Each structure stands twice: as structure tokens, then as C-alpha cells.
Amino acid sequence: MSDIVERTVTLHRPARRPAALPQRWPVETVEAMFDLPFAELLHRAQTVHRENFDPRLVELATLLSVKTGGCPEDCGYCPQSAHYDTGVDATKLMEPGEVLQAAHRAREAGATRFCMGAAWRAPKDRDIEKVADLVRTVKSLGLETCATLGMLEDGHAQILRDAGLDYYNHNLDSAPEFYGDIISTREYQDRLDTLERVRGAGLKVCCGGIVGMGESRRHRAGLIAQLANLQPYPESVPINHLVRVAGTPLAEQDPLDPFEFVRTIAVARITMPRARVRLSAGRQQMGDAVQALCFQAGANSIFYGDKLLTTGNPDTGADLSLLHRLGLRAGQPEPK
Ligand code: SAM
Ligand code: DTB
Ligand code: SF4
């Protein structure tokens, strides 16, 4: 067995470990993995994937923006930031009836997970009570539930869990060294603190990042190392490709080499062998062949539905056809 595969098989333990232990994935080790010949990296990732999952299953997760735009944060990639003129209008939080209809449509279309996103820096107490109602509504349909609402205060995560929330999504987004180039209104540590609260409440963690923002390979390795060294690492890891939105500071960013995106998926799979690795934003611009490589690299989840939060996503018919053409099928991949 190769060194990397052996580490992967022996080092993952879902239980918490004391913070003082050495990091399982030094950033140098992760960067060395990125540097492997492409076919070698994909082979290793595919091996890890097969050891841990049925490789034919792909999760379909549908997003709904329940509160759009007007966000006080200045995340340089985001069309919902009030700092940039992107043409996205701010809305109020949706009512349960509207969310129920959307969740029902998602279930009918084959989704098994429903993720509600709100463009808040941090929800207030009264927002949390309202979102808890939305969670109960979605849960009543038998869907897995996920929410992404920004930073949480003490007690918020417990209220959401008690309402039936399965996952909380909160991304680290980049390596700590690159974070300040993209966001100035909050600190990396703020994100880590919210992730601690989510874990502390017994929720499952959905945490990933964005690539294609002008970061270096070292930064991409730094992001993956941060995620993989969380103890335990997230159950769900969305890897987003930057969607370049007019009006944001990253609108004119040079495109990333698509193979570098595939490498990022592969390295996420190897370092977080039992996580659902989600091929997230940016699929509309990616093409079928690159997506096929991402599945080969160990992606086993996608965002499914015609829209992400405010930007487009492949239509559902095209996605079901792609899965069919690749001999994949929709389902809920569970680690062996
Ligand atoms: N406001 C909350 C927060 O930031 O945690 C939740 C919503 S926010 C839109 C969720 C995630 O969407 C971000 O962390 C980022 O990873 C992703 N995202 C936002 N805009 C994006 C873009 N233009 N391209 C790719 N991913 C994007
Ligand atoms: C995640 O990592 N990506 C999703 C979800 N979690 C909330 C959001 C992608 C947003 C892409 C830009 C938009 O549609 O506004
Ligand atoms: Fe706000 Fe989230 Fe967009 Fe940042 S990513 S501007 S926090 S909605």
C-alpha cells in the first residue's frame, strides 16, 4: 500500500482528539500530493474512494436562498455582498409555505438533501427561531436538512439541531494566509469558532472552500490541510469553483486550469476519505468531461437544481443524463 493510502486508511478516526496532538496532514504533505502526476493522483483518490464508499452513488443536494442579498460582509467572490453592485436585490426571509413548495419540488426531482442559505453575517435570535420553523417544515418531507446562515452565537446551533437540522454549512473558503486578500470584515478564527459551536451542538459539519480566486497551489493545499485537520474532519466538504460575477472584485479573475480543480477534489478525497466531497459551485462553466474527472477523483455529491443561491447551475435533466452516461446513480453515499 502506498504511503498516502496507508495514512488515509489508518489515520482517520471520527472521534475528537485533544488539540495538542500534531496535525495529521502537514501542508507540505498535502502540497506534495497536489504535485503528483495527474494519473497517479487520480488513481490514489479513486482507490481511497472505493475503499470507503460505493463509487457509483452521487448525492443530489438542492439549494434554496431563503434570504438573499444585502449582506454586510465584503467577501470578494460574493454576489450577495452589499459592498458590490451586482444587481442582486435584497429580500426578506421566506415564509414556511414557500420553502415547503420548493423542498417538495426538490424531493420530487430526486434530491435527498435540502440546504437553505441566508445572506447574513450572523443571524439574530429571532432569525434563528424563524429558520428553526423552516427546518421543521423541510424535515417533515423526509429530506436531509442543511442550513448556512453565517456565524452562530452560543445556543443557536442547539436550537437548529432541536428543530431537526442535520448539517450546518460554514466554509473556511481559503487557506488562512490568503483569507485577508478576499475578506476584510471577519477573521478566519471567527469561522473556526462557529465550526466549534456547530460540532459542540452535535450537528454534522459541512465545510469546504472556493478555488480559482487567484490563490496559489500552496494556498489550495493550505485550505485542504485546514479542513482535513479539523478534529474530526467535516462529514461534508463542498469544493466550489469561483463563479465570476460582474460587480464583484473577482469578476475578472483569470480562470483556473481545470485539472487543478480536479486535483483539489482528489486531494480532498484522499485526506478526508469518509466525507461526502461535493462538486459545488461552478459546474455550469465546467463541462461534462471535467465533471467526469471530478467523479473519478472521488466527488460523490453535487448541487442539483437550476439555481445555486443567485447564480445558475446545470438543469436537472442534464445532470440526470450525465449521471446516466457515466453509469452513476443518485443516492445517499454512506461510508462503509
Ligand atoms: N452567508 C453565509 C456564509 O458566508 O457562511 C452563507 C451563504 S454563503 C453564499 C455560502 C458559500 O457560498 C460561501 O462560503 C462560498 O464558499 C460560496 N460562494 C459564494 N459566492 C460564490 C461564488 N461566486 N463562487 C463560488 N462560491 C461562492
Ligand atoms: C457552498 O459551499 N456553496 C453553496 C452552498 N455552500 C451554500 C453556495 C454557492 C453559491 C454560488 C454563488 C451564488 O449562487 O450566489
Ligand atoms: Fe455574506 Fe456569505 Fe456572501 Fe460573505 S459569502 S457576502 S457572508 S452571503
Side-chain angles (χ1 to χ4, degrees):
M1 200 187 283
S2 76
D3 278 349
I4 289 173
V5 172
E6 193 169 14
R7 283 172 61 86
T8 302
V9 171
T10 56
L11 288 180
H12 172 64
R13 298 280 181 279
R16 276 170 170 270
R17 291 165 177 223
L21 282 180
Q23 295 203 320
R24 293 176 303 174
W25 292 103
V27 68
E28 295 74 20
T29 307
V30 178
E31 194 179 13
M33 226 183 278
F34 267 93
D35 292 342
L36 287 169
F38 189 72
E40 175 68 23
L41 177 58
L42 255 62
H43 176 68
R44 291 188 191 195
Q46 178 66 202
T47 305
V48 171
H49 192 192
R50 283 166 184 275
E51 281 169 357
N52 289 282
F53 285 101
D54 175 345
R56 289 164 306 180
L57 282 185
V58 176
E59 175 188 51
L60 304 183
T62 293
L63 278 170
L64 178 68
S65 181
V66 295
K67 193 266 163 225
T68 306
C71 183
E73 304 279 8
D74 68 353
C75 311
Y77 45 77
C78 186
Q80 301 198 69
S81 167
H83 295 256
Y84 317 124
D85 187 5
T86 61
V88 170
D89 292 328
T91 66
K92 287 189 181 156
L93 184 63
M94 277 184 185
E95 295 297 328
E98 212 177 336
V99 173
L100 181 65
Q101 277 184 11
H104 196 265
R105 279 196 301 272
R107 193 184 67 175
E108 292 303 296
T112 53
R113 181 147 152 191
F114 193 76
C115 178
M116 292 173 277
W120 286 316
R121 171 179 165 82
K124 300 184 176 64
D125 291 349
R126 64 170 184 275
D127 298 325
I128 286 291
E129 294 298 343
K130 287 183 184 166
V131 174
D133 276 345
L134 301 182
V135 170
R136 277 186 281 272
T137 302
V138 174
K139 196 71 190 165
S140 71
L141 296 180
L143 288 159
E144 270 191 334
T145 53
C146 180
T148 180
L149 316 171
M151 295 183 281
L152 296 184
E153 287 172 14
D154 284 339
H156 285 173
Q158 284 84 348
I159 294 173
L160 295 171
R161 184 209 51 208
D162 292 347
L165 190 70
D166 297 304
Y167 291 83
Y168 193 79
N169 166 247
H170 200 63
N171 292 339
L172 289 178
D173 279 331
S174 77
E177 300 75 28
F178 190 65
Y179 199 76
D181 289 18
I182 302 296
I183 299 158
S184 76
T185 50
R186 57 167 190 254
E187 304 285 325
Y188 208 76
Q189 189 59 46
D190 295 329
R191 302 296 270 186
L192 292 168
D193 292 346
T194 289
L195 292 170
E196 272 294 303
R197 292 193 178 107
V198 169
R199 268 284 171 236
L203 284 164
K204 287 190 254 193
V205 171
C206 174
C207 181
I210 315 183
V211 296
M213 299 191 291
E215 75 286 341
S216 62
R217 179 176 273 186
R218 174 76 168 194
H219 290 142
R220 285 186 283 280
L223 164 67
I224 299 293
Q226 283 287 330
L227 296 169
N229 286 324
L230 291 172
Q231 295 180 7
Y233 60 74
E235 284 82 2
S236 173
V237 179
I239 304 292
N240 296 278
H241 189 299
L242 174 71
V243 179
R244 291 175 293 174
V245 178
T248 63
L250 295 179
E252 306 298 331
Q253 184 58 51
D254 288 340
L256 181 71
D257 177 353
F259 298 135
E260 197 62 22
F261 185 81
V262 179
R263 283 179 186 274
T264 310
I265 297 271
V267 173
R269 167 54 65 216
I270 294 168
T271 56
M272 294 172 274
R274 293 161 68 80
R276 288 186 193 171
V277 174
R278 184 167 312 107
L279 172 51
S280 302
R283 287 197 304 116
Q284 207 173 32
Q285 292 75 19
M286 213 169 270
D288 289 352
V290 175
Q291 292 186 65
L293 283 172
C294 290
F295 293 125
Q296 191 71 13
N300 59 356
S301 176
I302 56 171
F303 282 127
Y304 174 71
D306 302 349
K307 210 170 169 192
L308 292 164
L309 292 174
T310 65
T311 64
N313 199 40
D315 70 51
T316 52
D319 276 344
L320 294 178
S321 157
L322 178 62
L323 295 188
H324 180 71
R325 284 156 63 212
L326 297 175
L328 300 170
R329 58 189 167 80
Q332 279 174 299
E334 296 297 346
K336 288 178 184 167

